[in-house]
């Protein structure tokens, strides 16, 4: 079995030369958005990363091997397969590997692969979190524990309103994970810019963010970081509309006994249906915004590292 990450030539060369690289996940492609928008978005993310100075490393499991850096054909395959491909979180990695299966990686599994490959910055749409009603279901995404144990900085648009944002922030605090809000005082709520929860920390420049990620890395803290980047105003959704759709989708999931790994994909697609796909447009816009910021942070880290001798 190959226990190393299979790197694309482009990713391998960039990592060897200390050039900026950002990780991208693949569950968002297979389970987070419908085809063909998912493939279009994933390919556009790669182009955007390059435009802002970073090599994109989209991660997945293919034929039992961990990959960082996919071809357009591999992305197209994951997008077309959609929910027929396995959603792979940390717990699933040894299973799909031994069975030589394919899998789309969640934030948790992508962080794991990124860290093995030596990638420090990762962009996605939203992270998993503590679900509403978790006090009885115990449904808490493995993404949160991964953030507590793997030194990768995840740029996202905040926990989605389908989650319990207050409990998610508490859980991240317990896990020792910094949550840094970019140019805002409150935690954004994915489709909207303000969840009403105060951000634990605010940063106003890319240089500041890069310094924080470098400190996390240099200290070998063995834990990650969340950078929350609000959706651009132009694409923000009406909070009432999204709230109503969310409450309806959460109630339906409960009634239909949707559980485990099915919960998040069900809620995402149901909310898209209930909002007449307006949520999908917002979702795509915020992912692009996060990819740009992650690429800028990775590029700035590379510049800062080149300018300053290592502090060992
Ligand atoms: N948030 C999104 N889109 C997504 C996801 C989260 O806006 O597609 C995916 C991510 O891959 C995340 C996963 O890691 O859902 C969380 O799933 P769960 O709640 O089952 O841990
Ligand atoms: Mn879950």
């Amino acid at each position: 079995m190959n226990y190393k990450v299979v790197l694309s030539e482009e990713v391998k060369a960039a990592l060897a030369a200390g050039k900026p690289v950002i990780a991208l996940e693949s569950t968002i492609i297979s389970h987070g958005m419908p085809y063909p928008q998912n493939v279009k978005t994933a390919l556009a993310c790669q182009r955007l990363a390059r435009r802002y100075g970073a090599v994109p490393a989209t991660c997945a499991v293919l034929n039992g091997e961990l990959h960082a850096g996919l071809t357009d054909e591999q992305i197209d395959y994951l997008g077309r397969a959609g929910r027929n491909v396995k959603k792979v979180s940390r717990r699933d990695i040894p299973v799909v590997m031994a069975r030589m299966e394919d899998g789309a990686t969640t934030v948790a599994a992508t962080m794991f692969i990124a860290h093995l490959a030596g990638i420090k910055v990762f962009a996605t749409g939203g992270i998993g979190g503590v679900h509403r009603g978790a006090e009885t279901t115990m449904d808490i995404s493995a993404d949160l524990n991964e953030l507590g144990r793997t030194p990768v900085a995840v740029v996202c648009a905040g926990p989605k309103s389908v989650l319990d944002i207050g409990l998610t922030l508490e859980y991240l605090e317990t896990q020792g994970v910094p949550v840094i809000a970019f140019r805002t005082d409150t935690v954004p709520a994915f489709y909207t810019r303000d969840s009403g929860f105060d951000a634990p920390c605010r940063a106003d420049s890319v240089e500041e963010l890069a310094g924080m990620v470098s400190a996390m890395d240099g200290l070998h803290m063995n834990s990650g970081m969340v950078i929350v980047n609000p959706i651009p105003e132009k694409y923000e959704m009406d909070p009432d509309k999204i709230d109503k759709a969310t409450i309806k989708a959460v109630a339906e999931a409960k009634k239909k006994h949707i559980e485990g790994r099915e919960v998040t994909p069900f809620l995402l697609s149901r909310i898209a249906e209930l909002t007449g796909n307006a949520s999908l447009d917002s979702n795509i816009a915020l992912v692009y915004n996060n990819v740009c910021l992650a690429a800028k942070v990775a590029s700035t880290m590379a510049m800062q590292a080149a300018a300053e001798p290592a502090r060992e």
Side-chain angles (χ1 to χ4, degrees):
M1 232 180 276
N2 177 13
Y3 294 112
K4 291 210 179 117
V5 180
V6 180
L7 304 174
S8 66
E9 286 306 318
E10 187 191 16
V11 170
K12 193 192 286 177
L15 287 171
K19 291 199 176 136
V21 178
I22 62 165
L24 300 165
E25 60 149 316
S26 45
T27 293
I28 194 175
I29 306 174
S30 60
H31 293 67
M33 289 181 194
Y35 179 82
Q37 288 96 331
N38 55 2
V39 172
K40 211 174 136 236
T41 305
L43 296 177
C45 283
Q46 304 211 120
R47 285 195 296 274
L48 264 181
R50 291 195 186 95
R51 191 185 309 157
Y52 285 88
V55 169
T58 306
C59 297
V61 186
L62 294 170
N63 197 22
E65 291 190 306
L66 309 182
H67 282 256
L70 301 183
T71 62
D72 290 3
E73 289 70 30
Q74 288 166 332
I75 287 177
D76 189 68
Y77 158 70
L78 292 171
R80 282 175 193 271
R83 292 200 202 178
N84 292 326
V85 74
K86 192 165 178 167
K87 172 178 163 184
V88 171
S89 194
R90 167 185 269 263
R91 64 168 182 183
D92 308 297
I93 291 175
V95 179
V96 285
M97 224 175 165
R99 291 183 177 157
M100 301 207 292
E101 287 174 349
D102 299 332
T105 49
T106 63
V107 168
T110 304
M111 285 179 75
F112 179 82
I113 295 174
H115 178 53
L116 270 183
I119 302 167
K120 298 177 178 108
V121 184
F122 165 15
T124 185
I127 52 168
V130 180
H131 280 263
R132 296 183 185 191
E135 51 290 4
T136 50
T137 62
M138 296 278 283
D139 191 351
I140 299 171
S141 175
D143 294 353
L144 301 185
N145 280 52
E146 198 65 38
L147 281 159
R149 76 209 293 182
T150 302
V152 171
V154 181
V155 181
C156 68
K160 205 167 295 118
S161 55
V162 301
L163 303 166
D164 187 318
I165 295 180
L167 292 187
T168 300
L169 291 171
E170 290 294 344
Y171 199 89
L172 287 168
E173 181 181 354
T174 305
Q175 290 287 322
V177 178
V179 177
I180 319 292
F182 187 57
R183 294 186 181 152
T184 177
D185 290 317
T186 57
V187 174
F190 199 79
Y191 299 117
T192 54
R193 292 175 58 84
D194 182 359
S195 65
F197 288 92
D198 286 342
C201 178
R202 171 185 173 131
D204 285 281
S205 69
V206 171
E207 288 70 23
E208 213 180 345
L209 290 176
M212 291 173 182
V213 182
S214 297
M216 171 196 87
D217 183 50
L219 285 166
H220 304 292
M221 292 184 80
N222 297 323
S223 55
M225 178 180 287
V226 182
I227 296 169
V228 287
N229 185 30
I231 182 171
E233 257 160 66
K234 198 172 140 200
Y235 296 99
E236 189 180 22
M237 292 189 69
D238 172 12
D240 267 358
K241 212 165 154 188
I242 199 76
D243 247 20
K244 283 206 183 91
T246 302
I247 290 167
K248 191 151 191 267
V250 169
E252 282 179 21
K254 200 172 167 196
K255 205 164 142 218
K256 289 187 166 173
H257 301 290
I258 307 240
E259 283 162 2
R261 70 172 100 233
E262 303 297 332
V263 175
T264 299
F266 173 83
L267 293 175
L268 291 178
S269 68
R270 196 63 192 110
I271 289 173
E273 278 169 20
L274 289 168
T275 59
N277 271 342
S279 68
L280 181 59
D281 295 339
S282 295
N283 198 341
I284 293 170
L286 66 84
V287 174
Y288 291 162
N289 193 42
N290 296 341
V291 169
C292 295
L293 182 58
K296 286 185 204 165
V297 170
S299 305
T300 306
M301 282 173 68
M303 275 189 300
Q304 288 174 348
E308 195 189 324
R311 278 192 248 160
E312 288 299 342

